[in-house]
Amino acid sequence: MESFDDDRTAEAFGLLAEMSKSGQVIYLTHHAHLCDIAKNSCPSVFIHELQS
């Protein structure tokens, strides 16, 4: 999703949310703004942040 604009990213997270209805979906990123988009696209998302 690095090359996606915010609208495309939101659509992709929507697809991941649909996929999560039938199995576990794990998406890893170090881009904090993607977490905000994920929260807006799928309010039930669980975001786990690793400590440095």
Side-chain angles (χ1 to χ4, degrees):
M1 291 188 219
E2 291 176 15
S3 62
F4 288 7
D5 59 23
D6 288 351
D7 292 333
R8 287 189 177 121
T9 299
E11 287 294 321
F13 279 126
L15 292 172
L16 293 177
E18 285 296 315
M19 291 171 55
S20 73
K21 292 178 181 178
S22 63
Q24 184 178 31
V25 174
I26 298 173
Y27 178 77
L28 304 173
T29 186
H30 64 277
H31 296 283
H33 76 282
L34 293 181
C35 295
D36 295 331
I37 296 171
K39 289 176 191 175
N40 289 330
S41 298
C42 181
S44 64
V45 68
F46 177 80
I47 296 177
H48 183 82
E49 295 184 31
L50 301 178
Q51 296 180 354
S52 56

